Amino acid sequence: MNYSKVGYRDLYPKCPPAGAVANCASAGVLGVLPAVVGSLQATEALKLILQLGRTLDGSLLLYSALDMSFVELPIGKRDLPTGEGLWKLGAREAAEAAEGGDGCAMGGSLEPIKTRRLPAPEAAVRMAAGWRPFVLDVRAERESLISSLPGTHLRRAHDALFRPGLLLPSEGDVLVYCRSGARSLLAIAELARAGLVSAERLVNLDGGVNAWAELVDPTMLQY
């Protein structure tokens, strides 16, 4: 609730890079949740209009459908511009840059190591010529049901890489891919930092499986 100009970006100043978090189309959403949240939002709007009761202004309300519980968290206001026309003018991004942040840009936190990157067409040409990397899919399991690279050896969600059973080869290249190439960069950074695979052996498929579908195999589904 941001009636007093305290917004979601005050809680999360740095948004994740594009593609790092699956959207509702790929991750799915429980159908009743929009109705529950929409009803709460409508109730808050009526309270503001009628000037009744206490609103959630300046707070974040967390709702868990699993145990039907609510938790209210206060949000402190950051010293950044707010108001009408903010995003069109880019004032908040300019302020973040001035204070040392990178806004929503894909910066150091995404790719802190020197990463080998291959566009999908180049990867396909190299594979046809005999390149045989270990292929790691770091998407959620349900995404692999839509489309996958041929010859994928292992599927492990990027945010659950280190669950028991992660077996990676000790030699040779490891080609890492996701939907659009952002989550795979995060996975590569984690694998290299953990010392499981040297950075020199890790290769990111730029554009992910969607780029492969568009530029290499148009019979594959995109999402």
Side-chain angles (χ1 to χ4, degrees):
M1 184 67 183
N2 62 349
Y3 181 70
S4 65
K5 309 285 192 205
V6 176
Y8 203 57
R9 289 285 295 279
D10 292 297
L11 182 63
Y12 294 105
K14 301 284 194 297
C15 65
V21 180
N23 58 27
C24 293
S26 57
V29 61
L30 186 62
V32 298
L33 290 180
V36 173
V37 175
S39 296
L40 293 171
Q41 292 174 328
T43 302
E44 289 296 290
L46 288 173
K47 286 157 62 179
L48 287 170
I49 294 171
L50 300 174
Q51 298 184 1
L52 296 174
R54 183 184 71 86
T55 69
L56 289 171
D57 189 22
S59 297
L60 175 70
L61 186 68
L62 305 179
Y63 167 58
S64 171
L66 291 176
D67 54 16
M68 199 56 71
S69 65
F70 292 85
V71 177
E72 183 180 345
L73 301 175
I75 302 177
K77 189 176 185 299
R78 299 176 71 223
D79 187 20
L80 291 173
T82 56
E84 186 178 356
L86 174 68
W87 299 110
K88 181 174 69 175
L89 295 173
R92 186 183 290 268
E93 282 70 19
E96 285 172 340
E99 69 173 18
D102 58 4
C104 294
M106 294 174 62
S109 61
L110 177 65
E111 195 175 0
I113 62 172
K114 184 173 177 59
T115 304
R116 294 171 60 192
R117 307 172 69 147
L118 273 182
E122 185 177 342
V125 168
R126 292 188 58 180
M127 286 178 170
W131 183 49
R132 294 292 179 266
F134 183 89
V135 182
L136 174 62
D137 179 359
V138 295
R139 298 173 297 163
E141 184 177 354
R142 57 186 169 271
E143 294 178 83
S144 67
L145 301 176
I146 303 173
S147 61
S148 290
L149 255 63
T152 297
H153 296 91
L154 180 65
R155 306 184 197 282
R156 182 64 61 89
H158 81 287
D159 54 358
L161 275 175
F162 302 113
R163 289 183 308 178
L166 178 63
L167 299 176
L168 297 174
S170 57
E171 297 180 348
D173 291 334
V174 177
L175 179 66
V176 187
Y177 77 94
C178 62
R179 175 181 179 269
S180 56
R183 282 176 285 172
S184 51
L185 282 174
L186 295 172
I188 284 173
E190 291 299 320
L191 290 169
R193 265 199 300 266
L196 295 179
V197 184
S198 65
E200 294 76 17
R201 294 173 50 215
L202 292 163
V203 183
N204 187 67
L205 182 68
D206 274 4
V209 71
N210 274 356
W212 187 280
E214 179 182 359
L215 303 172
V216 177
D217 184 0
T219 64
M220 290 174 56
L221 293 176
Q222 298 186 49
Y223 65 101

